[in-house]
Amino acid sequence: MAGLVRKSFDAPDEVRPFEGGTGQLEVVNLAGGEVGRGTFQPGWQWSKHVKPIAGTESCQAAHAGYIVSGRMKIVMDDGQEIEIGPGDAVDCPPGHDAWVVGQEPCVLVDWQGFSGYAKR
């Protein structure tokens, strides 16, 4: 039986920077899988700053997460869209673009979709 484990995003197991210095993903590895904290700077957009890393036309990761601060707009390939902000939980299927709204960094904790996200 596994013991109690504590990990901190202040000392992550891995850090994955986004293109152009527009933020980063910090990953901690737990027995149940990876958990990521993404910090997305103003001006960040998936199609500009992660697409070159992913090599896909839209983000193909499914996300289940919680917005700590800032705002982000998500637009699905089929045109459906939402804007998320502090205190929101989000369940987002694959096939989308996203970008930071406003001048505050968006911080998102995701326990589903950051396993291979922005991994070089």
Side-chain angles (χ1 to χ4, degrees), residues 18-76:
F18 303 141
E19 296 286 311
T22 56
Q24 65 184 17
L25 173 63
E26 297 132 344
V27 178
V28 294
N29 298 305
L30 301 173
E34 294 179 335
V35 179
R37 177 176 70 180
T39 302
F40 306 88
Q41 297 297 328
W44 176 89
Q45 183 169 2
W46 186 91
S47 57
K48 294 177 184 172
H49 302 106
V50 180
K51 179 179 178 177
I53 301 167
T56 57
E57 284 304 307
S58 60
C59 181
Q60 296 302 305
H63 302 283
Y66 175 78
I67 307 342
V68 177
S69 60
R71 302 197 68 77
M72 185 176 285
K73 183 156 188 173
I74 302 170
V75 178
M76 301 301 298

Side-chain angles (χ1 to χ4, degrees), residues 93-115:
H96 56 272
D97 193 6
W99 56 88
V100 172
V101 174
Q103 295 305 309
E104 179 183 356
C106 182
V107 178
L108 168 78
V109 176
D110 186 326
W111 49 89
Q112 180 182 0
F114 281 162
S115 177

